[in-house]
Amino acid sequence: MGSQGDANFFEGAGFDWESYIVHRPAPDADFYQLIYDHHRANGGEFNLAHDIGTGPGNIAEQVGKTFKRVHASEPSAYHTSVAEHRLKAIDADKFTTQQCGGEDISSAGHKSGSVDLITVAQCIPLMRVDEAISGFAKLLKPNGTLAIWFYGRPVFADPSQQRSQLIINQILSKAWDRVRPMKGSGFEPAKIMLCAFLDNVAFPEDDWKQVRRLKWNHDKPMMFLEDDDVDFEIKWDSKVREGESEEKSIDREFWAIDADVGWMRGFVDYALPWENKDEDKAQLDGLFKELEVSMGGKEKKQKITWPVALLLATKK
């Protein structure tokens, strides 16, 4: 889930992690295969993987289908207990868990150069990124792979659903009102990184080779908010080095799902799970009603896709 921020809104026994997983876009088999193909092509082995910021362990679970052993770490004690419960029920011998922030993992009792693959899904913007990348380099074996990815706001794939797109954008903006102001908080660097499509994540040449930056649906914003919705300047320095590969694709079938308005509400509720003020709740209810009509009714499903950035880097 991450290692930084002013509050952890996913804490507490009342949070429904199974519903959280249901209301998330899920990387498909081709996405994982892309990572594994890169790993294999650069001499990687398939013994030990480490999933950073594992949350409920859903990514670790998928990686465990290919790797012999998977270690899952998470800064939150509660999240770690959830992941441990889920993963032990799948295979107690394959999975291990640990409470630890991503920036601190290389000094948390792990042998340097012991890990074949590190996955970092949906959490790198919440970390002290330079410290984290340095720690990951220490942990990986030579020719090991670091895979970092993040998806952005939902995109209605059908151009005729422009009205629905405008409404979901309004909903996301209103839902974020609960945590304003953002300037000076952990959300500020996180939002800037999303606007950069992770291009401000650096891979120092002394540690990394075969760096690839893949982007799908980069014509759509990664940040859940419009630029005008934030109270800080959106500016970043690109860390893309000469020789790194940049691969871009506009593909409205990428990670596509068919979703009704109920799924869309679940996505917002579980992505931004804080308690809103009564007046904000009323406005959100009204916007979701508008979205229901715009999508064609309560049971009508529309195709949803996502802007996604994937960073792949091989340890020297």
Side-chain angles (χ1 to χ4, degrees):
M1 291 276 86
S3 303
Q4 178 178 304
D6 294 347
N8 194 331
F9 299 101
F10 300 88
E11 289 286 4
F15 189 78
D16 187 345
W17 278 107
E18 295 303 326
S19 291
Y20 170 91
I21 294 170
V22 167
H23 292 96
R24 302 263 64 71
D28 57 19
D30 288 344
F31 183 80
Y32 286 105
Q33 192 60 52
L34 188 158
I35 295 170
Y36 302 150
D37 287 347
H38 174 97
H39 184 62
R40 186 179 290 106
N42 288 285
E45 299 176 328
F46 289 80
N47 295 314
L48 175 62
H50 191 138
D51 185 41
I52 302 288
T54 198
N58 49 316
I59 301 300
E61 177 184 353
Q62 294 303 315
V63 173
K65 296 176 181 179
T66 301
F67 279 73
K68 293 178 182 178
R69 293 181 296 124
V70 180
H71 187 69
S73 63
E74 166 63 45
S76 160
Y78 175 62
H79 300 174
T80 304
S81 69
V82 171
E84 181 176 19
H85 177 76
R86 292 187 70 255
L87 295 172
K88 294 285 188 183
I90 296 168
D91 190 334
D93 295 325
K94 179 185 287 284
F95 296 101
T96 54
T97 57
Q98 177 185 21
Q99 182 188 355
C100 187
E103 305 93 334
D104 307 315
I105 198 66
S106 66
S107 58
H110 300 280
K111 183 180 177 182
S112 295
S114 62
V115 177
D116 298 299
L117 171 72
I118 293 176
T119 52
V120 188
Q122 291 301 113
C123 58
I124 194 66
L126 294 173
M127 295 182 190
R128 299 185 302 276
V129 64
D130 291 340
E131 290 179 47
I133 297 296
S134 177
F136 301 156
K138 293 174 183 175
L139 211 58
L140 281 170
K141 295 177 182 177
N143 299 322
T145 300
L146 173 59
I148 298 171
W149 67 90
F150 208 97
Y151 62 81
R153 79 173 77 164
V155 173
F156 283 85
D158 185 345
S160 71
Q161 285 294 305
Q162 184 178 5
R163 171 68 178 158
S164 298
Q165 187 68 59
L166 291 173
I167 297 170
I168 195 63
N169 292 350
Q170 288 178 291
I171 287 170
L172 290 167
S173 177
K174 175 53 62 177
W176 272 102
D177 279 354
R178 171 66 177 78
V179 293
R180 301 178 195 276
M182 296 184 210
K183 184 175 178 62
S185 75
F187 291 120
E188 182 176 352
K191 297 301 181 190
I192 289 173
M193 187 179 290
L194 297 186
C195 288
F197 260 79
L198 312 191
D199 279 348
N200 59 347
V201 176
F203 294 97
E205 190 171 6
D206 288 347
D207 290 328
W208 304 100
K209 62 182 180 179
Q210 300 298 324
V211 177
R212 298 169 64 191
R213 298 175 184 266
L214 299 92
K215 300 169 186 175
W216 292 267
N217 297 320
H218 58 284
D219 60 322
K220 300 297 182 181
M222 177 85 77
M223 187 170 68
F224 277 31
L225 297 167
E226 301 292 342
D227 290 357
D228 292 342
D229 284 336
V230 299
D231 55 355
F232 51 85
E233 183 180 10
I234 299 175
K235 185 173 68 173
W236 68 89
D237 294 323
S238 174
K239 302 298 184 181
V240 181
R241 288 190 290 108
E242 185 177 354
E244 294 183 356
S245 171
E246 295 186 82
E247 305 165 44
K248 299 179 180 180
S249 173
I250 296 175
D251 181 1
R252 299 298 191 244
E253 297 294 328
F254 188 74
W255 287 12
I257 60 169
D258 292 323
D260 59 21
V261 70
W263 191 95
M264 297 298 289
R265 177 138 210 172
F267 171 81
V268 174
D269 287 347
Y270 286 101
L272 312 174
W274 40 75
E275 188 70 19
N276 289 288
K277 298 176 182 177
D278 288 343
E279 58 266 33
D280 290 339
K281 288 180 183 178
Q283 291 183 51
L284 286 167
D285 286 343
L287 286 168
F288 274 113
K289 188 62 182 176
E290 289 183 41
L291 183 62
E292 176 184 320
V293 173
S294 179
M295 289 178 66
K298 189 173 183 178
E299 307 297 329
K300 179 69 174 177
K301 293 184 176 182
Q302 299 289 345
K303 183 181 292 185
I304 304 296
T305 185
W306 316 86
V308 176
L310 169 65
L311 308 181
L312 293 172
T314 300
K315 173 67 186 306
K316 283 187 173 179

